[in-house]
């Protein structure tokens, strides 16, 4: 924790708003464009994305939430970093304009179920109904079908895997996370978890965070500066239109 505190002290000297995409910003090193297909990525459960050592993919789950998602968007814009947002259908239906703002600012979007249930506790028909409603909310907001899906709690089921394969939707798992769902988390705690996860990883990968979580939304500027200070490069993942 002392090492993280020292790191945060150094980072605090950096400019808070670096929207000019200069050398002091994290930036986006490159973009990977994936096919719309029933692929499965994320070494927590599947094959890795074609990343190089030291590259990370920023992903956010559970939004869009008017109180928190804009804070995340601001932090990403300040650091010129692009991310992928996996949206809960019922949240997207309540805030479609915010969902479209995410896309208009250059980020990728996918779905994260409709109600964020534990899918394995539901019958097959209920699972498929949840997927159908999430797809409908995405279609209504964006005018196109969702290219990718992340399972709530990363809890995959045979019923859903088969349905996603049939629909040519990519399943996006993760490589590492920061366990950012506790209400008492601080910037320093989340930064320490990020450093620990990165150090334990094989040089980076797909990072799971939650734009619906208030402590995370507040900590994103710090977390992005941690990535910059440790030499990581952001890769933006998008899908063919």
């Amino acid at each position: 924790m002392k090492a993280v505190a020292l790191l945060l002290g150094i980072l605090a000297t950096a400019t808070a708003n670096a929207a000019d995409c200069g050398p002091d910003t994290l930036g986006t090193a490159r973009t990977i464009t994936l096919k719309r297909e029933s692929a499965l990525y994320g070494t927590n459960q599947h094959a890795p994305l074609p990343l190089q050592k030291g590259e990370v993919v920023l992903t956010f789950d559970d939004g869009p939430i008017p109180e928190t998602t804009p804070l995340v968007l601001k932090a990403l814009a300040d650091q010129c970093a692009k991310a992928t947002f996996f949206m809960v259908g019922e949240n997207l239906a309540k805030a479609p304009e915010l969902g479209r703002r995410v896309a208009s600012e250059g980020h990728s979007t996918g779905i994260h179920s409709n109600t964020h249930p534990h899918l394995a506790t539901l019958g097959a028909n209920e699972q498929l109904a949840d997927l159908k409603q999430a797809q409908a909310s995405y279609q209504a907001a964006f005018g196109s079908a969702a290219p990718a899906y992340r399972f709530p709690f990363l809890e995959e089921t045979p019923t859903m895997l088969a349905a996603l394969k049939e629909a040519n939707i990519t399943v996006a798992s993760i490589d590492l996370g920061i366990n950012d769902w506790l209400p008492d988390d601080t910037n320093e705690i989340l930064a320490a978890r990020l450093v620990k996860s990165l150090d334990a990883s094989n040089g980076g990968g797909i990072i799971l965070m939650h734009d619906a979580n208030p402590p995370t939304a507040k900590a994103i500027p710090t977390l992005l500066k941690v990535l910059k200070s440790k030499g990581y490069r952001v890769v933006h993942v998008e899908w063919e239109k």
Side-chain angles (χ1 to χ4, degrees):
M1 187 66 77
K2 289 182 179 179
V4 172
L6 177 61
L7 175 61
L8 295 182
I10 295 172
L11 294 174
T13 64
T15 302
N17 296 308
D20 62 350
C21 296
D24 291 335
T25 63
L26 177 60
T28 301
R30 65 187 181 103
T31 298
I32 296 175
T33 301
L34 300 175
K35 294 180 179 180
R36 281 181 173 258
E37 60 181 358
S38 59
L40 304 103
Y41 292 111
T43 56
N44 188 68
Q45 293 162 296
H46 302 295
L49 277 171
L51 300 176
Q52 301 169 9
K53 188 176 181 63
E55 292 184 333
V56 294
V57 175
L58 308 176
T59 69
F60 295 92
D61 287 3
D62 294 358
I65 300 294
E67 293 77 17
T68 53
T69 302
L71 298 177
V72 175
L73 292 175
K74 173 67 164 54
L76 292 169
D78 287 346
Q79 288 292 326
C80 300
K82 301 301 181 186
T84 303
F85 289 74
F86 293 96
M87 302 182 181
V88 171
E90 63 179 7
N91 291 339
L92 182 58
K94 293 175 183 176
E97 299 87 357
L98 181 54
R100 288 190 287 270
R101 176 185 165 188
V102 170
S104 73
E105 294 188 13
H107 305 291
S108 303
T109 56
I111 50 178
H112 188 47
S113 80
N114 190 58
T115 60
H116 208 285
H118 287 280
L119 289 166
T121 67
L122 305 180
N125 289 339
E126 292 175 294
Q127 294 180 45
L128 296 176
D130 185 271
L131 173 60
K132 183 177 180 180
Q133 186 56 58
Q135 290 173 303
S137 295
Y138 189 96
Q139 181 75 39
F142 298 107
S144 62
Y149 182 97
R150 175 170 283 158
F151 279 86
F153 307 104
L154 302 179
E155 294 173 352
E156 299 180 353
T157 69
T159 294
M160 287 291 294
L161 287 171
L164 294 166
K165 182 177 182 179
E166 183 177 357
N168 271 341
I169 295 176
T170 293
V171 172
S173 186
I174 70 169
D175 296 313
L176 60 133
I178 58 173
N179 296 327
D180 57 325
W181 53 76
L182 299 176
D184 296 329
D185 281 342
T186 65
N187 289 10
E188 191 169 87
I189 288 172
L190 291 172
R193 288 197 199 129
L194 176 60
V195 169
K196 183 177 180 180
S197 292
L198 288 168
D199 289 347
S201 73
N202 188 27
I206 305 169
I207 303 175
L208 168 61
M209 295 173 282
H210 295 82
D211 60 306
N213 186 39
T216 302
K218 294 175 183 176
I220 293 302
T222 296
L223 301 182
L224 296 179
K225 290 173 185 175
V226 167
L227 291 172
K228 171 70 173 177
S229 73
K230 291 180 71 67
Y232 283 91
R233 303 176 304 281
V234 171
V235 174
H236 182 212
V237 173
E238 61 182 15
W239 283 266
E240 293 176 347
K241 304 299 184 185

